[in-house]
Amino acid sequence: MRRRKRRQIKERPLIIHGDPKAIASEAFRTLRTNLQFTSPDREVKTILITSAGPEDGKSTVAANLAAAWSQSGSRVVLVGCDLRRPVTHAIFGVRNTSGLSAYLSGRVPLDEVIIETKVPGLDLIPAGPIPPNPAELLQSKAMRQCLRELRERYDVVLCDGAPAIAVTDAAVVASQTDGTVLVIQSGETPKEAALHAKQLLERANARILGVVLNRVKVSDRTSMYYYHYYYSDAE
């Protein structure tokens, strides 16, 4: 399988890669473990990460979860399925000149859009140039074929999707994956919006694996003390 070389731009930090002992890094490892054991009787290899609305941090969650999974020894690919406001390429510092949209529209083969990242065991498929018909591309035969091929090549396939409420794209991808994780922002996402997102996903026959409460302010200094004490003692 041939992978494209990374064309670098300024990248955003992956906390789990840059600071593996941070509280947030441990939270992503916990999320990975919880998802691994969420369905002991049914294989879960393809997972959509979506959110109720924009700015909830779903792309950051998806990228760090992908890195956490690769650190466990799994071969992982992160697929940029938000074809309207792509972000994953910026997180990993690569250009978005080609990607999923180019593959789905038949312009390039799948191998041409897979990029090796700096995280061992983690590959990336950027969203690619913004197309005029995102929903149609995501519900095409090419998308289903893409997910089938990635299932065969990788242990875990994580899809960074569009927000569930804004457009139908997330529901379309959710219907094609083994499970969905909904990201909501602490103190910002209205309860009604979160419930509406859940309902929209369920109508699309999405299998919701859980909810991530993102950007929680850690104010309990006692908990932070014991967390750091545990790691200091382990060293």
Side-chain angles (χ1 to χ4, degrees):
M1 179 174 63
R2 184 176 61 174
R3 302 184 186 89
R4 292 166 49 207
K5 294 182 179 179
R6 299 174 66 228
R7 298 182 62 188
Q8 293 187 345
I9 59 175
K10 185 178 180 181
E11 62 188 66
R12 304 180 184 181
L14 283 174
I15 188 169
I16 195 164
H17 184 69
D19 190 0
K21 292 186 178 180
I23 293 176
S25 297
E26 182 60 24
F28 285 117
R29 285 189 289 268
T30 300
L31 175 60
R32 174 200 68 200
T33 302
N34 289 343
L35 290 172
Q36 287 174 322
F37 291 98
T38 190
S39 181
D41 299 324
R42 178 178 172 183
E43 186 178 42
V44 177
K45 291 191 68 174
T46 56
I47 301 175
L48 168 67
I49 311 297
T50 184
S51 60
E55 309 300 332
D56 285 340
K58 63 171 179 58
S59 298
T60 300
V61 170
N64 280 278
L65 176 60
W69 227 309
S70 68
Q71 287 177 357
S72 70
S74 298
R75 295 200 64 249
V76 184
V77 61
L78 175 62
V79 187
C81 294
D82 188 344
L83 303 185
R84 299 175 190 265
R85 295 183 63 185
V87 174
T88 53
H89 67 284
I91 295 176
F92 288 92
V94 299
R95 298 192 183 280
N96 198 39
T97 52
S98 185
L100 183 64
S101 63
Y103 165 75
L104 295 180
S105 60
R107 296 203 299 271
V108 294
L110 184 60
D111 286 344
E112 290 295 321
V113 298
I114 299 175
I115 300 174
E116 291 182 336
T117 74
K118 65 182 180 182
V119 181
L122 173 58
D123 288 344
L124 170 69
I125 298 179
I130 298 174
N133 55 341
E136 287 76 9
L137 289 180
L138 293 172
Q139 63 185 358
S140 65
K141 291 181 180 178
M143 182 63 183
R144 292 192 290 273
Q145 178 62 28
C146 176
L147 291 175
R148 281 195 296 268
E149 289 193 31
L150 294 177
R151 282 181 66 95
E152 295 177 359
R153 299 186 185 190
Y154 294 90
D155 300 313
V156 181
V157 180
L158 293 179
C159 299
D160 173 37
I165 293 179
V167 289
T168 61
D169 301 14
V172 169
V173 178
S175 67
Q176 302 176 55
T177 56
D178 299 327
T180 298
V181 174
L182 179 63
V183 178
I184 60 177
Q185 185 178 174
S186 175
E188 294 294 333
T189 304
K191 179 180 178 181
E192 295 76 12
L195 290 174
H196 185 45
K198 176 176 178 288
Q199 291 168 354
L200 290 174
L201 292 168
E202 289 176 336
R203 289 174 192 168
N205 295 318
R207 185 175 176 221
I208 299 179
L209 303 175
V211 176
V212 172
L213 184 62
N214 193 28
R215 295 173 181 162
V216 177
K217 294 182 180 179
V218 181
S219 57
D220 187 346
R221 295 186 178 182
T222 302
S223 298
M224 293 179 66
Y225 169 79
Y226 279 113
Y227 177 85
H228 288 292
Y229 177 81
Y230 173 82
Y231 276 99
S232 296
D233 186 60
E235 290 176 350

